[in-house]
Amino acid sequence: TQLLEQSPQFLSIQEGENLTVYCNSSSVFSSLQWYRQEPGEGPVLLVTVVTGGEVKKLKRLTFQFGDARKDSSLHITAAQPGDTGLYLCAGDETGANNLFFGTGTRLTVIP
Amino acid sequence: GAVVSQHPSRVICKSGTSVKIECRSLDFQATTMFWYRQFPKQSLMLMVTSNEGSKATYEQGVEKDKFLINHASLTLSTLTVTSAHPEDSSFYICSARPSRGTGELFFGEGSRLTVL
């Protein structure tokens, strides 16, 4: 089983603050996905990054794929209460049929 | 985007009974579907890979006779928890990858099982 470590595991911040979540692995992935999951629901795909060094922006969210395609980061600017949730990274290893999920980061944005 | 539906979303059963959870891809065909288990405040743990027309692939530590898979069509996979016990209580999530697509996974809404 491939291991994707996310940090921090828990994060509680005030509305308007910025934050960064990290996803690290020793394995190389052909692509990496970020999901957000709310309690009692399935994960929802936010973005897929494919190219080493790639940066994608989704409104206040900025995703970056590491040059070596082993790690990724998610930066949220001016966090809002609606950003609260469990953030999961997932790596797609070449030749593997399944995604390998990260350990998760639970974000709470306090109004 | 592609839609995956799970049913039921919540189920409560008595210890010793069997529970079936369905996972349907509503607008695409999926040769492979995945079943995960998620404990409170934790990430997803892959249990089994369901392959249409062939045997399911179970992850280490997952009992084949406990968690039965039926993937009889390209749009439906069912997970049956047999002789359920309180320790089987959990949030079960399925996902499917379109046979023709970019490789993205689409997730169901999840099914919360409570075994009394």
Side-chain angles (χ1 to χ4, degrees):
Chain A
T1 302
Q2 305 302 323
L3 186 61
L4 277 160
E5 289 281 355
Q6 284 184 237
S7 61
Q9 186 177 1
F10 297 97
L11 186 58
S12 182
I13 62 171
Q14 293 289 331
E15 180 177 0
E17 292 183 355
N18 302 331
L19 67 114
T20 301
V21 177
Y22 299 94
C23 173
N24 295 294
S25 174
S26 58
S27 299
V28 177
F29 295 102
S30 58
S31 68
L32 193 139
Q33 301 179 12
W34 284 93
Y35 295 83
R36 181 170 65 217
Q37 183 183 23
E38 300 194 18
E41 299 181 10
V44 175
L45 179 66
L46 296 175
V47 77
T48 300
V49 286
V50 178
T51 307
E54 180 178 5
V55 176
K56 280 192 174 180
K57 290 191 174 183
L58 184 66
K59 297 183 180 179
R60 294 176 293 100
L61 278 60
T62 302
F63 304 85
Q64 184 163 8
F65 201 12
D67 291 340
R69 290 185 286 129
K70 294 182 178 181
D71 54 84
S72 180
S73 64
L74 158 61
H75 183 79
I76 301 179
T77 304
Q80 298 177 3
D83 296 328
T84 293
L86 177 66
Y87 288 81
L88 298 163
C89 65
D92 197 349
E93 193 178 44
T94 303
N97 195 24
N98 181 45
L99 289 179
F100 298 95
F101 278 88
T103 46
T105 296
R106 184 163 295 279
L107 170 66
T108 302
V109 182
I110 303 168
Chain B
V3 178
V4 175
S5 177
Q6 268 184 253
H7 178 81
S9 58
R10 292 177 179 269
V11 57
I12 300 173
C13 69
K14 292 182 178 180
S15 184
T17 60
S18 294
V19 176
K20 182 183 291 186
I21 302 172
E22 293 185 346
C23 179
R24 292 180 185 273
S25 56
L26 298 185
D27 52 0
F28 65 93
Q29 293 184 335
T31 307
T32 304
M33 292 184 177
F34 305 93
W35 287 93
Y36 305 84
R37 186 171 180 175
Q38 186 176 33
F39 293 103
K41 300 183 179 180
Q42 293 188 22
S43 186
L44 279 66
M45 182 185 74
L46 178 66
M47 297 173 58
V48 57
T49 301
S50 171
N51 304 296
E52 187 271 336
S54 64
K55 288 184 178 180
T57 304
Y58 288 81
E59 295 300 304
Q60 191 173 9
V62 179
E63 298 178 52
K64 298 180 181 181
D65 295 334
K66 177 73 172 177
F67 299 99
L68 301 179
I69 292 292
N70 187 310
H71 193 155
S73 77
L74 289 171
T75 59
L76 174 64
S77 173
T78 61
L79 169 69
T80 300
V81 183
T82 62
S83 187
H85 291 285
E87 57 265 31
D88 297 324
S89 298
S90 191
F91 193 55
Y92 293 88
I93 307 175
C94 73
S95 70
R97 178 174 275 168
S99 300
R100 296 180 179 181
T102 58
E104 293 180 8
L105 277 179
F106 297 91
F107 286 83
E109 312 95 326
S111 300
R112 180 159 301 283
L113 170 64
T114 302
V115 185
L116 302 177

